[in-house]
Amino acid sequence: AGSGERKKVVVIGGGVSSKHTVEELVKDKTIEVVMIQACSFVEWPLAMTSVLSNPTLHTKALAPDPAKFQVKGAAYIYGVVAGVDAKAKEIKLADAEAPVKYDALVVATGFRMPLFYPKPGATLAARRQEVAEAGAAIGKAACVGIGGGGVIGLELAGDIRVAYPTKRIVVFCRDTLLSNYPADFLDKVRVELQKRKIEVVEGCKKEPMHEVSLEQRTVSHEGTDYCCDVFIPAFLQGPNTSFLGDSEPSSGKGLLDEAGKVVVNDRLQCPSAPEIFAVGVSTAGGFVGIAKLQDQWTAVARNVKAILSGKPLKPMKESMKNMQRPPYLLVGRGKGGWAMWDISQLPPPLQCCCCCGMGGFPFCPPPCCWPCCGPCACGMCGCPSSGEGPARCMGGLDFFSSSLHFKGVGQDAALAEQAAPAQESMG
């Protein structure tokens, strides 16, 4: 930027991290904030296992109107980033000749996950069709194969079981089921999976797991062939950072490590390109969840403002160091589902408030909360914090939680519900 001009900060993303980073940045009126987003709509990812099991719910997870979800005070560019020239401080878009210049850049692009996330640059119509076709294929399948034995794979398996009580479901793990969970927790999960007739096949290192197949596919393991009518990978497949791979920073060192994560220091700044910062897709490491990411987007926004004004940068302070995995595990939402709160992952004060993992006495949550979360949302009183009660609770919260981050999510579904009584009365 020239003398007297506002410094420009560009944020590449479109999800929760980028949106909240932009919100923090626009508070400073001395800088110009631009968001580059691949799709001109927002989709709430936490609800997608439920949506794939029942695609009629898709509209509840969509924010189709940019006027609703955009952050006021920021400019938006909808396009796919093809590359970044760190020396020239320019961003190349796939469908535009002129580059986008920046004084500081924030990369908050999330992870690759076919089917669970829209393809970069997808139109809303194309995304609706993709989800509808996948949902129809799951509905017709006699056997559904799921790649990935982590929390997302089990959540999808459980949601499909709730929607289709008799369908065969097989979860394929490259290593072991829930490899980063303690044995006592894992034992409880295995029991619940067996009750729901969800098969688990572990040690499938030789089988490719990354591609979605809506046609019949055979997965072979230790002499057994599993004929799946649909196969869905349900695990994170690395950061969406390939556009940084060919960048040549001033120091000559690469911006990415071998896993595709942006190399950063304790200020979440790339040492080889000091004007570049990252949220959620960096070597800062650890479990990536909204509760943990808040520290990152707050620190990055603060340090971006600092570097543009010539002030010293400060290290990120992590507020939830004990959280190394999600605080709950979900195997299907609603009636017939099962969930378990992992109280050990909550801050100690909150663990005490949650009765150290027991259901609570005499009510937890109290009856006044039941209209929103239902009874026994933390488990039965005086019992471990697991069961159908927590699963019922999460069935509503995963859609509701979108409203805490984006405006306009589910607006089409709400309009349809409002129009239905009027159409009936007219009839």
Side-chain angles (χ1 to χ4, degrees):
S3 177
E5 295 181 5
R6 292 197 298 168
K7 297 291 182 72
K8 180 189 285 189
V9 180
V10 176
V11 180
I12 304 175
V16 171
S17 296
S18 57
K19 189 260 188 178
H20 288 304
T21 303
V22 169
E23 284 181 328
E24 293 294 323
L25 290 169
V26 296
K27 296 175 182 178
D28 188 336
K29 304 304 179 183
T30 66
I31 60 177
E32 175 187 358
V33 184
V34 178
M35 168 84 91
I36 298 180
Q37 186 168 316
C39 299
S40 59
F41 60 90
V42 166
E43 185 178 77
W44 187 236
L46 295 187
M48 286 312 295
T49 60
S50 184
V51 168
L52 291 173
S53 307
N54 181 3
T56 62
L57 298 175
H58 193 203
T59 53
K60 292 181 64 177
L62 286 170
D65 185 359
K68 295 285 181 66
F69 63 74
Q70 288 181 353
V71 177
K72 292 183 179 180
Y76 277 70
I77 298 173
Y78 294 102
V80 178
V81 175
V84 172
D85 187 333
K87 288 183 178 179
K89 300 180 187 178
E90 294 180 344
I91 300 165
K92 171 65 177 174
L93 299 178
D95 296 325
E97 294 185 5
V100 179
K101 296 182 178 295
Y102 65 84
D103 294 294
L105 172 63
V106 179
V107 180
T109 45
F111 289 76
R112 296 188 304 276
M113 201 171 179
L115 199 55
F116 286 82
Y117 292 104
K119 298 174 182 176
T123 64
L124 180 58
R127 178 55 175 167
R128 288 184 188 274
Q129 182 178 353
E130 181 185 29
V131 171
E133 290 177 351
I138 291 172
K140 294 177 182 177
C143 177
V144 177
I146 297 173
V151 293
I152 303 173
L154 295 189
E155 188 173 323
L156 177 61
D159 279 337
I160 293 175
R161 172 56 71 233
V162 169
Y164 303 99
T166 62
K167 196 180 297 294
R168 187 184 185 190
I169 303 170
V170 186
V171 176
F172 298 95
C173 315
R174 293 187 64 84
D175 295 304
T176 61
L177 185 71
L178 296 174
S179 57
N180 62 333
Y181 279 76
D184 58 340
F185 194 103
L186 184 56
D187 289 342
K188 296 176 183 178
V189 174
R190 290 188 185 277
V191 168
E192 295 300 327
L193 292 175
Q194 290 174 1
K195 287 181 181 179
R196 287 158 179 76
K197 297 183 179 180
I198 296 174
E199 303 173 47
V200 177
V201 181
E202 299 174 279
C204 301
K205 296 181 180 294
K206 297 181 180 180
E207 285 288 334
M209 296 278 186
H210 291 74
E211 298 295 330
V212 175
S213 176
L214 301 184
E215 299 177 351
Q216 195 173 85
R217 174 192 168 180
T218 299
V219 179
S220 300
H221 179 65
E222 295 184 349
T224 301
D225 291 335
Y226 299 86
C227 186
C228 304
D229 300 299
V230 171
F231 185 88
I232 301 175
F235 57 92
L236 301 178
Q237 298 186 16
N240 286 310
T241 55
S242 58
F243 56 86
L244 290 173
D246 296 329
S247 184
E248 297 181 3
S250 55
S251 70
K253 298 180 180 179
L255 302 179
L256 305 177
D257 69 0
E258 293 181 355
K261 296 180 180 180
V262 181
V263 178
V264 297
N265 54 27
D266 61 358
R267 297 170 292 281
L268 302 181
Q269 174 192 38
C270 188
S272 57
E275 301 83 10
I276 296 179
F277 297 79
V279 178
V281 291
S282 74
T283 53
F287 162 62
V288 178
I290 293 178
K292 302 274 279 187
L293 289 173
Q294 184 173 356
D295 293 332
Q296 294 193 24
W297 70 60
T298 301
V300 163
R302 180 184 64 240
N303 284 332
V304 164
K305 295 175 185 179
I307 196 173
L308 293 180
S309 59
K311 297 179 180 179
L313 279 61
K314 298 180 180 179
M316 180 192 73
K317 293 183 178 180
E318 191 173 354
S319 60
M320 293 189 178
K321 293 182 179 180
N322 65 306
M323 187 180 288
Q324 301 300 318
R325 53 182 182 268
Y328 69 91
L329 179 74
L330 184 62
V331 184
R333 296 168 173 81
K335 185 177 180 181
W338 181 85
M340 183 171 183
W341 293 99
D342 190 352
I343 305 299
S344 68
Q345 299 304 297
L346 299 177
L350 193 53
Q351 291 184 30
C352 293
C353 292
C354 294
C355 305
C356 297
M358 305 307 287
F361 179 86
F363 298 108
C364 187
C368 61
C369 298
W370 290 3
C372 293
C373 62
C376 303
C378 297
M380 298 296 291
C381 293
C383 299
S385 52
S386 62
E388 189 173 294
R392 288 177 181 269
C393 171
M394 299 313 301
L397 288 182
D398 279 353
F399 283 97
F400 170 77
S401 60
S402 65
S403 63
L404 303 176
H405 303 281
F406 291 101
K407 294 180 179 179
V409 177
Q411 69 173 43
D412 283 0
L415 291 173
E417 290 176 0
Q418 294 172 7
Q423 292 174 351
E424 290 176 2
S425 63
M426 291 175 63

